[in-house]
Every structure is written in C-alpha cells, then in structure tokens.
Amino acid sequence: MIDVVFLLLVFFMLASQFGQDNALPLSSSGGASSSYSGPPRLVDIGGEELRLNGVVFSEYLLVQKLGELVGSDTDMVILRGSADATLQRMIDVAQALRAAGFENLSVVE
C-alpha cells in the first residue's frame, strides 16, 4: 500500500506545474531586423541610474522624455545594459517601458 502512495506522490510531483514562465517580447538587433527612423532613443540601464541619450533621468521622467521622442508606439527604443546592471534591473525597466506603451524594444550590447 505504501508503494502505491509513493508512486502517486511521484506521479503528481512530476505532472504538476510549479511555476509559469513569463515572456517579455524583446528583439535583438543583431542584423537587419526592423528599420530605425527618427531621433535617437538609446536607454542606458545602469545599476542605479537610467540614461536617455546620455542624460540621467528617473524612471518616470525617462518615460515622459521618451514619449516626446517617439512618433508612435511602434517606434523602436534601444536598451543597452551596463556592466553593473543586473538582468532583473533590465527586465524591470523593459516591463516599465512596455507598461507605458512602448511596444518595440530592442536590446544591444
């Protein structure tokens, strides 16, 4: 009887889903993907600060200034992480930009 219980336990452990994967749609500009037009929109993501075209902004002001630079929501915004930026920081900034309505995010080195 105990063997059946352990087999059921193993079955349910292997068949269950412990977490759901979340996807953040980003493109890697490793080639000629979508074309870039308009003013520069380069967001440098550091460990503590965010820079838009070399100027330091808070996250709220970054979204506001990016809104002034884009013509539509599908204009490309380029994200570049610095050496001290963690992956979680990059994801948080990308999610904040997507929540603000910027749909076309591209990541470069």
Side-chain angles (χ1 to χ4, degrees), residues 70-93:
V70 297
S72 69
D73 292 341
T74 59
D75 284 349
M76 184 183 298
V77 176
I78 299 173
L79 305 177
R80 180 174 61 185
S82 66
D84 60 336
T86 62
L87 179 61
Q88 186 61 50
R89 173 83 168 142
M90 297 265 310
I91 291 172
D92 291 342
V93 171

Side-chain angles (χ1 to χ4, degrees), residues 3-94:
D3 292 338
V4 173
V5 171
F6 281 125
L7 283 173
L8 287 173
L9 177 67
V10 169
F11 171 76
F12 285 115
M13 284 178 56
L14 294 175
S16 65
Q17 186 177 11
F18 293 107
Q20 293 184 348
D21 295 332
N22 292 327
L24 182 66
L26 297 174
S27 66
S28 171
S29 60
S33 53
S34 61
S35 63
Y36 185 92
S37 64
R41 297 176 295 270
L42 174 65
V43 177
D44 287 314
I45 302 170
E48 297 294 323
E49 61 185 19
L50 296 173
R51 293 179 181 265
L52 174 62
N53 299 330
V55 180
V56 177
F57 288 105
S58 67
E59 188 173 313
Y60 174 75
L61 286 176
L62 174 77
V63 170
Q64 185 179 14
K65 292 294 182 180
L66 266 175
E68 296 171 4
L69 293 175
V70 297
S72 69
D73 292 341
T74 59
D75 284 349
M76 184 183 298
V77 176
I78 299 173
L79 305 177
R80 180 174 61 185
S82 66
D84 60 336
T86 62
L87 179 61
Q88 186 61 50
R89 173 83 168 142
M90 297 265 310
I91 291 172
D92 291 342
V93 171

